[in-house]
Amino acid sequence: MPAPRLSDRDPHVDADELIGALVPPPRFDDVRFATYVPNPDEPSQAAAVRECQAFAERVSGAGERGWLGSLFRKQAEPGKPGLYLDGGFGVGKTHLLASIWHAVPGPKAYGTFVELTSLVGALGFPETVRRLSGHRLLAIDEFELDDPGDTMLVTRLIKELTAAGVAIAATSNTLPDKLGEGRFAAADFLREIQSMAAKFTVVRVDGPDYRHRGLPDAPPPMSDEELVAKAESTPGATLDDFAELCARLARLHPSRYGRLVDGVTAVHLRGVTPAPDQAVALRLVALGDRLYDRDIPVAVSGEALSELFTPEMLNGGYRKKYLRAVSRLVALSR
C-alpha cells in the first residue's frame, strides 16, 4: 500500500490550541537541570547551569504580583527579569531553556522565535499580548537577528510582556566555525533589544556541537526504489515528492507545520534538490524545526540533506538559520 503524503494533509489550529501548544518540544519533556551533563573541558557549561537554576528560582519566587514587582519590592534580591543564553550550535542551550521552563510554575509559555512570529501573524499583536501577559515566564528559543522586521516585532512583544511582569528567557545560535565571530551575538542581541537590554543577564555557553561529536556525516541518499520500499514498510511513515511538498508548504501558514507532522513516525522525501529560492529555504527550515522537535527521522533520495541550501544561501544573511537546519536534519537522517 502506498505511504500517505504530508502534501495531502490540511491541518487546522485554533487560537486556544496555538497558545496551549507553547510548550517545549516532546524531545525535551524529561530534561531537567540535573540531566544536563556539562562538558568538563568547557567550564562555562557548569556555570550556565548554576545561572539558569538561580534565574528559575527567582522567577518561581516572584509570586502573584509578577517578577518585576518582586524585584522592586526586594531591592537586595540579585538578578534581572531577562536571561539570554549565548552560544553556538548543539551546546545544550535549549536543554537549559527547557529546564528553566520545567522548573518555573505556570502559567508559562515556550516557543521558538519563528513560532512567536507565526503566533502574532495568526492572532494579531494585541491578542497575542493579551493572551501571554498573564504568564509568569516566556521562554524564547533561537532568537533570530537576521530579519529586522521580525526582530522589531518580537522586541516589541518582549517590551509589552516585561512591562506586564513576565520574565523572559531566550537563546540564540552563533556561528561555530570562527573562533571570535560568535562572541558578537550577545552584543547584537542586546543592541537589537536596546530598549530593555539592561534587564537581561547574558550567560555564555561554549563547546562543540554535541550532535556531531564522533558521529558520521549525513548518510548518502537512497535510490527512489529503496526510499519507496522503506516508506511503505514503516508504519506511520509518509512519502512525498520534494517539489510537491515545497509547493504545499507555500500554501500553509508556518504555525500549522507542527500539526502537519503530528503522529508521523518517519518522513521520506523523494527527489530532494537544493532549495530554489530563499522563500522555499525558509519554509524548509521551519519544517525541519518541527521535525526535530518531534524527533521524526528523515530519509531522502536525490541530493543529500547537507546540500539542501546553496553556497550563496549559506554565505548570505540567513546563514545561521540554514546551518542550524542542516545540523538538525543531518541528525534526523542518521
Side-chain angles (χ1 to χ4, degrees):
M1 178 181 297
R5 305 191 320 158
L6 290 176
S7 301
D8 293 331
R9 292 188 167 200
D10 188 23
H12 293 276
V13 187
D14 63 27
D16 289 336
E17 287 181 291
L18 285 172
I19 297 296
L22 292 176
V23 298
R27 65 164 52 233
F28 295 103
D29 283 348
D30 299 322
V31 304
R32 299 294 187 273
F33 293 122
T35 64
Y36 183 92
V37 181
N39 185 335
D41 296 327
E42 301 290 348
S44 67
Q45 295 187 6
V49 174
R50 294 191 294 270
E51 289 274 5
C52 291
Q53 285 178 309
F55 179 80
E57 290 169 2
R58 291 196 298 270
V59 176
S60 298
E64 294 182 358
R65 291 179 59 186
W67 167 263
L68 292 179
S70 173
L71 182 64
F72 295 130
R73 188 167 61 252
K74 301 177 181 179
Q75 293 295 329
E77 185 175 345
K80 299 178 181 181
L83 180 75
Y84 171 72
L85 296 172
D86 176 46
F89 300 96
V91 294
K93 300 189 306 300
T94 299
H95 184 133
L96 292 173
L97 187 69
S99 297
I100 292 173
W101 189 90
H102 285 301
V104 173
K108 55 191 176 182
Y110 179 110
T112 65
F113 181 92
V114 173
E115 286 176 315
L116 284 178
T117 57
S118 296
L119 182 71
V120 174
L123 300 184
F125 189 85
E127 181 65 9
T128 300
V129 171
R130 186 186 73 80
R131 286 178 174 269
L132 295 179
S133 60
H135 284 50
R136 186 187 296 259
L137 170 72
L138 172 62
I140 307 173
D141 200 17
E142 299 158 5
F143 199 103
E144 297 176 356
L145 304 172
D146 46 22
D147 187 305
D150 285 347
T151 301
M152 290 178 62
L153 177 69
V154 177
T155 297
R156 182 184 168 202
L157 179 65
I158 292 174
K159 184 175 181 179
E160 295 277 352
L161 294 179
T162 54
V166 182
I168 307 292
T171 75
S172 183
N173 282 324
T174 61
L175 295 173
D177 57 344
K178 294 184 180 178
L179 182 60
E181 189 171 341
R183 301 289 176 176
F184 296 104
D188 292 344
F189 174 83
L190 294 176
R191 184 188 66 247
E192 293 295 337
I193 62 166
Q194 56 186 319
S195 61
M196 71 205 86
K199 298 176 183 176
F200 275 82
T201 297
V202 176
V203 175
R204 180 74 191 177
V205 190
D206 290 305
D209 186 339
Y210 79 90
R211 289 185 291 265
H212 293 167
R213 291 176 197 162
L215 295 174
D217 293 332
M222 296 180 173
S223 68
D224 286 349
E225 294 76 17
E226 291 172 329
L227 188 77
V228 171
K230 187 174 186 296
E232 292 179 350
S233 64
T234 304
T238 59
L239 172 66
D240 287 83
D241 288 317
F242 181 71
E244 292 181 1
L245 179 60
C246 290
R248 178 72 184 102
L249 294 178
R251 301 190 300 273
L252 197 65
H253 192 277
S255 65
R256 297 160 66 185
Y257 286 9
R259 180 60 58 84
L260 181 72
V261 297
D262 276 351
V264 174
T265 61
V267 167
H268 299 77
L269 302 177
R270 180 167 47 199
V272 168
T273 63
D277 57 51
Q278 297 277 20
V280 173
L282 292 172
R283 294 184 197 111
L284 291 172
V285 169
L287 178 64
D289 286 342
R290 303 292 76 77
L291 294 172
Y292 186 77
D293 289 348
R294 291 155 176 78
D295 202 17
I296 298 174
V298 178
V300 303
S301 68
E303 298 285 345
L305 286 167
S306 55
E307 304 301 318
L308 196 55
F309 307 109
T310 66
E312 291 78 13
M313 292 175 181
L314 293 176
N315 289 322
Y318 295 112
R319 172 175 166 79
K320 293 180 185 179
K321 191 176 299 192
Y322 295 146
L323 286 174
R324 184 191 76 226
V326 169
S327 174
R328 291 183 161 189
L329 289 169
V330 167
L332 292 175
S333 70
R334 293 197 179 103

